[in-house]
């Protein structure tokens, strides 16, 4: 039980396919305690039974609003006076910006994607760090489209590049407080968000053929990597982007 006595927050639970659920479940399996965030009441019918399964609390959080972020952290602080980890598994871009040419991205679409998918890590890390009184670990979720062009990933690729850079800057800022910040670059997984990317099933098919392990990664493998990164087995690792993608990223032709 390597996470016994560890407690923390997992942001971005939508349903049983969410990577956040796999992270929460993996952390719970290893003895950790979790509080989830969910966007709004529309998700409660999936979120409540899942969270109940592992005796986790859940509070609403809209990362596009500072007041909502403050309210969420106030609710967490009312339950626990300190936390050990935060998993950030939140992203959004308008579906019209996940189709066609990147060059057609509107100012508004660019700003929304970067605000919700990238700035949210900065804003929530600041509040989480205040609650990490004896050090801690922050983990975010990124994707290979940050470094190579993936058809239709478009503005989300730019947001993920900025997310990986933010991971490094946050790691440098928070390291002296013994708070680590890392990103997991997960291979494609069929979730609600992923289904918004035009041609996503083609990406899944392509990866399964080309990846060294000849298959797609599953959410529980990503959850296990997150559990490792929030545990004391990874105390020497910070500022990294760690691939959990069946090896796809190492391949050339
Ligand atoms: P998901 O749809 O289950 O999770 C995304 C979550 O973000 C949802 O719970 C959604 O409600 C939440 N969200 C959207 N806008 C929000 C807002 N304004 N405030 C708060 N929450 C908001 O999909 P997922 O695939 O589990 O995504 C989790 C993370 O994993 C994302 O960062 C995603 O980019 C990343 N990721 C996914 C894949 C994949 O193929 N599924 C691969 C690599 C990385």
């Amino acid at each position: 039980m390597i996470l016994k006595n560890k407690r923390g927050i997992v942001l971005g639970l939508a349903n049983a396919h969410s990577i956040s659920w796999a992270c929460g479940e993996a952390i719970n399996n290893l003895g950790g305690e979790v509080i989830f965030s969910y966007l709004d009441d529309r998700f409660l019918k999936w979120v409540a039974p899942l969270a109940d399964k592992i005796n986790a609390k859940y509070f609403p959080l809209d990362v596009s609003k500072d007041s909502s972020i403050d309210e969420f952290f106030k609710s967490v602080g009312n339950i626990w006076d300190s936390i050990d980890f935060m998993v950030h598994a939140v992203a959004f871009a308008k579906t019209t910006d996940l189709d066609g040419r990147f060059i057609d991205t509107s100012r508004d679409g660019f700003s929304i994607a970067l605000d919700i998918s990238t700035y949210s890590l900065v804003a929530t890390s600041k509040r989480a760090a205040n609650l990490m009184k004896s050090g801690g670990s922050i983990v975010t979720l990124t994707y290979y489209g940050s470094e190579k062009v993936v058809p239709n990933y478009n503005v989300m690729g730019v947001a993920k590049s900025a997310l990986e850079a933010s991971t490094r800057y946050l790691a440098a800022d928070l390291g002296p407080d013994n708070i680590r910040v890392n990103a997991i670059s997960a291979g494609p997984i069929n979730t609600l968000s992923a289904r918004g990317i035009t041609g996503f099933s083609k990406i899944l098919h392509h990866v399964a053929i080309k990846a060294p392990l000849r298959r797609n990664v599953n959410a529980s493998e990503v959850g296990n990597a997150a559990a490792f990164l929030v545990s004391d087995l990874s105390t020497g690792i910070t500022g990294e982007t760690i691939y959990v993608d069946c090896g796809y990223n190492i391949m050339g032709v």
Side-chain angles (χ1 to χ4, degrees):
M1 293 299 237
I2 57 165
L3 295 177
K4 192 166 182 283
N5 302 324
K6 297 258 187 217
R7 49 200 193 183
I9 54 181
V10 177
L11 310 183
L13 182 56
N15 58 36
H17 304 289
S18 295
I19 292 174
S20 57
W21 170 243
C23 293
E25 213 181 15
I27 289 168
N28 179 261
N29 284 341
L30 294 169
E33 278 183 87
V34 166
I35 293 175
F36 287 105
S37 85
Y38 64 97
L39 177 56
D40 59 34
D41 288 358
R42 284 173 300 163
F43 294 95
L44 269 179
K45 65 177 167 206
W46 298 288
V47 167
L50 285 170
D52 289 346
K53 258 193 197 176
I54 62 168
N55 287 322
K57 295 204 160 28
Y58 43 94
F59 297 112
L61 169 63
D62 180 346
V63 295
S64 68
K65 299 187 178 93
D66 283 336
S67 57
S68 174
I69 302 178
D70 287 333
E71 193 59 35
F72 175 79
F73 278 92
K74 200 172 137 202
S75 304
V76 173
N78 285 339
I79 294 174
W80 291 330
D81 56 7
S82 94
I83 61 171
D84 303 296
F85 61 84
M86 175 176 87
V87 178
H88 170 275
V90 168
F92 178 78
K94 297 203 278 187
T95 43
T96 46
D97 289 326
L98 297 171
D99 185 24
R101 303 195 315 163
F102 170 66
I103 202 169
D104 296 325
T105 310
S106 65
R107 185 182 295 274
D108 182 46
F110 191 94
S111 153
I112 289 174
L114 272 282
D115 182 29
I116 295 178
S117 315
T118 310
Y119 179 70
S120 64
L121 176 68
V122 184
T124 54
S125 292
K126 188 171 166 112
R127 273 82 162 185
N130 285 335
L131 285 173
M132 290 179 175
K133 295 184 180 149
S134 354
S137 174
I138 295 171
V139 178
T140 188
L141 271 304
T142 185
Y143 176 60
Y144 182 73
S146 64
E147 54 185 289
K148 294 283 192 277
V149 173
V150 172
N152 301 313
Y153 200 60
N154 298 353
V155 71
M156 193 52 86
V158 176
K160 291 303 192 190
S161 271
L163 184 75
E164 290 168 23
S166 302
T167 298
R168 292 186 283 274
Y169 278 92
L170 290 167
D173 279 351
L174 297 175
D177 298 323
N178 194 28
I179 297 171
R180 301 181 291 111
V181 189
N182 291 289
I184 293 174
S185 186
I189 298 169
N190 202 349
T191 63
L192 190 64
S193 297
R195 271 175 250 140
I197 304 160
T198 298
F200 182 73
S201 54
K202 279 192 196 150
I203 298 176
L204 282 175
H205 183 65
H206 171 78
V207 169
I209 291 169
K210 194 177 164 196
L213 295 181
R214 298 289 189 276
R215 63 174 176 86
N216 282 288
V217 74
N218 60 56
S220 65
E221 292 172 312
V222 176
N224 286 338
F228 162 72
L229 284 172
V230 305
S231 82
D232 290 344
L233 294 177
S234 60
T235 48
I237 303 174
T238 195
E240 294 295 337
T241 297
I242 294 173
Y243 293 89
V244 183
D245 66 347
C246 295
Y248 177 83
N249 76 94
I250 66 162
M251 299 303 288
V253 257

